[in-house]
Amino acid sequence: MIIVKELHKQFQDNHVLRGVNYHIHPGEKIVVVGPSGSGKSTFLRCLNLLERPTSGQIWFDGQEITSPKADVNEIRRHMGMVFQHFNLFNNLTILKNITLAPTTLKLMGEEEARENALKLLQRVGLSDKADAYPASLSGGQKQRIAIVRSLAMNPKVMLFDEPTSALDPEMVGEVLEVMKELAESGMTMVVVTHEMGFAREVGTKVLFMDGGNIVEENEPQEFFNNPQSPRLQEFLSKVL
């Protein structure tokens, strides 16, 4: 579904991604871990062109999205993105937050978008919050709404950029629960996270990034129990 070839990203003198190559297949749950500054979030943000790669190519669903001819907005419709800090519109109700994109882009009529939104809210246990405003919600609730907002666009893949790192520890579980349920439903997911338990339990592949490249990748069992590179061994000894 996504092919990444020789991906480089530089911010002035800072060479953040150094020739990343990777393939993501439909239905895979790719979990990306690594130390701060290793390029994880930049890699994720390049996948939907929130960051423009300095060089290299990315294909999504058979189309080269790094080509100057690609319609970025059209591509992003099919890629849901969930951020660390929710990025909800504080002046709109929860229902409006969820229906805004599908109705503005004329993918659904008002009524269909509303019905869809209410169904999704029920799925994450927040049907009673449709008319509330983001300010009245806890961090965990806001993040569940942010996930629902992405799902309302019916994406082919969901990208998560450290979705639990801004949350109080007791709220982390409720967000990971929604993500697990999403994984079980067959959604293709790419998740940058520090939650090793989630990586072990939900990931089909875990990638370890360091110094702007993928140093090691494996199925969770092997990745955690039998790390090959000294750098990953050192990393895991500190976080597990």
Side-chain angles (χ1 to χ4, degrees), residues 147 160 163 175-183 189 191 198 202:
I147 293 173
F160 293 86
V175 173
L176 292 180
E177 218 32 66
V178 170
M179 290 169 65
K180 280 178 196 164
E181 194 246 323
L182 195 56
M189 295 162 71
V191 184
F198 177 84
V202 180

Side-chain angles (χ1 to χ4, degrees), residues 10 23 42 54-55 67 81-82 84 105 172 178:
Q10 266 175 286
H23 285 208
T42 304
T54 307
S55 65
S67 146
M81 178 92 180
V82 177
Q84 204 171 340
L105 294 169
V172 169
V178 170

Side-chain angles (χ1 to χ4, degrees), residues 96-148:
K96 199 73 189 140
N97 261 285
I98 300 167
T99 57
L100 184 66
T103 53
T104 307
L105 294 169
K106 309 239 183 307
L107 302 180
M108 295 179 186
E110 290 283 345
E111 196 44 52
E112 187 190 352
R114 185 190 150 80
E115 270 175 39
N116 187 40
L118 293 172
K119 223 180 269 166
L120 288 167
L121 282 172
Q122 192 172 1
R123 183 170 163 185
V124 298
L126 291 173
S127 338
D128 56 334
K129 300 294 183 193
D131 298 321
Y133 285 84
S136 68
L137 303 186
S138 72
Q141 290 172 326
K142 285 180 191 169
Q143 196 55 297
R144 284 186 281 162
I145 297 300
I147 293 173
V148 160

Side-chain angles (χ1 to χ4, degrees), residues 14-75:
N14 186 6
H15 201 159
V16 182
L17 296 178
R18 298 169 176 266
V20 177
N21 291 292
Y22 203 67
H23 285 208
I24 297 165
H25 301 98
E28 283 193 313
K29 328 288 171 244
I30 305 297
V31 183
V32 187
V33 303
S36 293
S38 58
K40 308 182 298 288
S41 288
T42 304
F43 171 60
L44 194 76
R45 292 167 73 87
C46 282
L47 292 182
N48 69 351
L49 305 177
L50 277 176
E51 297 291 356
R52 276 273 172 193
T54 307
S55 65
Q57 296 159 314
I58 301 171
W59 277 266
F60 171 58
D61 230 16
Q63 180 190 8
E64 191 200 331
I65 63 176
T66 38
S67 146
K69 296 192 190 79
D71 178 345
V72 176
N73 293 329
E74 175 55 36
I75 291 154

